[in-house]
Amino acid sequence: MKRLWLPVLLLVMMGMAFLTNAGAADKVLKMSTTTSTQASGLLDVLLPELEKDTGIKVKVIAKGTGAAIRDGMDGNVDVIFVHAKGREEKFIADGFGTQRYAVMHNDFVILGPASDSAKIKGQSSAAKALAGIAGAHQIFVSRGDDSGTNTMEHALWKGTGLALAETTQTIVMKGKMREITFVRPAGDWYLSIGQGMGKALTVADEKQAYILADRGTYIKYKFGRDVPIDLDVLCEGDPALANPYGVIPVSPKKHPHVNGALAKEFAEWLVSEKGQKVIADYRLLGKPLFYPDAAAQ
């Protein structure tokens, strides 16, 4: 009898293991997000807590906000977590997203070397600071990657009153060639590199150049690394530099194959008391990188 029951027992155990694995597989979420949520280190603390509470594992695809939004439009992911509110609202209005959850915010800052040849330190207007950099013909590093940061930078240049040229640039995103069009000031002092925030900060540091950065990634690269970047905050506090982040589940009506239920569960956890606390508690040397926004909804 024992010999007869052994194969049956093994089959039962294999079936249970299969069901367990299948259930775990069902809890895998595909998310396209801006590089700043990854480069800042936030996802390293946020996602383990998410998995602990919900069992959800997140496959992260980090890229510029523009590319992340296109992933959502194409149905390549279940959810997007980005920071370009106008583009996010259009994404929803066009039927690609269900709703925007206001998750958190920080701000953008203009960085540069301590020597500050452009003399912008303490300038409260971001547009005037950029005009000063242009007038002094000091090197300015632009991400040039169609990200949320890049979108903000272009808006700020438009506010300077300087003559701007429309430029088309070919960039490589995840092995694919893509053309982006943007406005930029004239001059070889302006370097558009087609890279994420971390790499752009590294280039700016190497060249002792000016750059627009989100504060979270700046704090990570300035205070959270063995070899910190040697750039200082020279312009901050302008309301135009506000940087809100939102999470948007991709609409199952537009793309029936996406995991809408899991995306909603993920978004609701982010704006829950626990998710917001994890965001608020994430600090480097006592410095907060992001501020939770769910209470303001």
Side-chain angles (χ1 to χ4, degrees):
M1 286 291 288
K2 288 183 179 179
R3 289 181 179 177
L4 290 174
W5 275 104
L6 185 58
V8 175
L9 182 61
L10 288 172
L11 286 172
V12 171
M13 291 176 66
M14 288 172 65
M16 290 176 65
F18 174 79
L19 290 173
T20 299
N21 289 336
D26 289 340
K27 298 285 268 185
V28 176
L29 184 74
K30 288 187 290 185
M31 175 177 75
S32 206
T33 184
T34 172
T35 58
S36 60
T37 58
Q38 186 176 64
S40 65
L42 176 66
L43 296 183
D44 294 334
V45 298
L46 197 63
L47 297 187
E49 291 300 318
L50 168 77
E51 185 176 354
K52 190 186 304 181
D53 288 352
T54 67
I56 296 174
K57 296 186 178 187
V58 180
K59 180 180 179 182
V60 176
I61 305 167
K63 52 180 63 175
T65 283
I69 289 174
R70 274 186 292 278
D71 273 348
M73 293 173 68
D74 293 339
N76 294 331
V77 293
D78 304 304
V79 66
I80 60 173
F81 188 3
V82 291
H83 64 138
K85 193 172 180 181
R87 297 171 76 169
E88 294 166 46
E89 291 170 344
K90 186 177 188 307
F91 178 78
I92 294 169
D94 290 344
F96 293 106
T98 59
Q99 72 176 91
R100 180 184 188 272
Y101 295 77
V103 177
M104 62 190 188
H105 72 275
N106 58 16
D107 62 348
F108 291 104
V109 290
I110 297 177
L111 312 174
S115 58
D116 187 25
S117 299
K119 307 300 181 189
I120 67 165
K121 186 173 183 179
Q123 174 59 258
S124 59
S125 166
K128 288 182 179 178
L130 290 180
I133 295 167
H137 294 271
Q138 295 299 303
I139 297 175
F140 182 90
V141 174
S142 170
R143 285 178 56 168
D145 63 347
D146 199 29
S147 61
T149 305
N150 204 208
T151 298
M152 170 61 74
E153 182 213 317
H154 296 158
L156 292 173
W157 280 116
K158 289 177 182 178
T160 62
L162 298 173
L164 303 174
E166 188 173 276
T167 301
T168 299
Q169 178 173 320
T170 301
I171 61 175
V172 179
M173 298 295 292
K174 301 297 181 181
K176 295 182 179 179
M177 304 288 286
R178 187 165 61 81
E179 288 189 344
I180 60 171
T181 301
F182 57 94
V183 293
R184 53 157 291 173
D188 57 7
W189 53 270
Y190 183 91
L191 302 180
S192 181
I193 64 172
Q195 298 289 342
M197 192 73 259
K199 290 182 180 179
L201 281 170
T202 300
V203 171
D205 183 46
E206 290 171 350
K207 294 182 177 295
Q208 283 294 279
Y210 294 87
I211 186 172
L212 178 74
D214 70 279
R215 191 183 294 269
T217 309
Y218 167 68
I219 290 174
K220 176 72 173 180
Y221 274 65
K222 180 74 172 182
F223 303 104
R225 301 189 348 148
D226 292 336
V227 182
I229 59 172
D230 185 22
L231 295 173
D232 297 331
V233 175
L234 300 178
C235 177
E236 61 183 329
D238 186 337
L241 293 172
N243 184 29
Y245 288 76
V247 65
I248 306 173
V250 175
S251 173
K253 291 181 180 179
K254 184 72 74 170
H255 295 292
H257 64 276
V258 302
N259 197 328
L262 203 63
K264 183 179 180 182
E265 185 180 357
F266 167 70
E268 291 180 347
W269 183 88
L270 280 182
V271 299
S272 71
E273 183 177 350
K274 173 65 177 293
Q276 295 285 283
K277 185 177 187 305
V278 175
I279 291 168
D281 289 347
Y282 181 53
R283 295 168 178 255
L284 285 174
L285 298 180
K287 300 177 186 295
L289 278 71
F290 301 95
Y291 298 89
D293 272 349
Q297 295 188 86

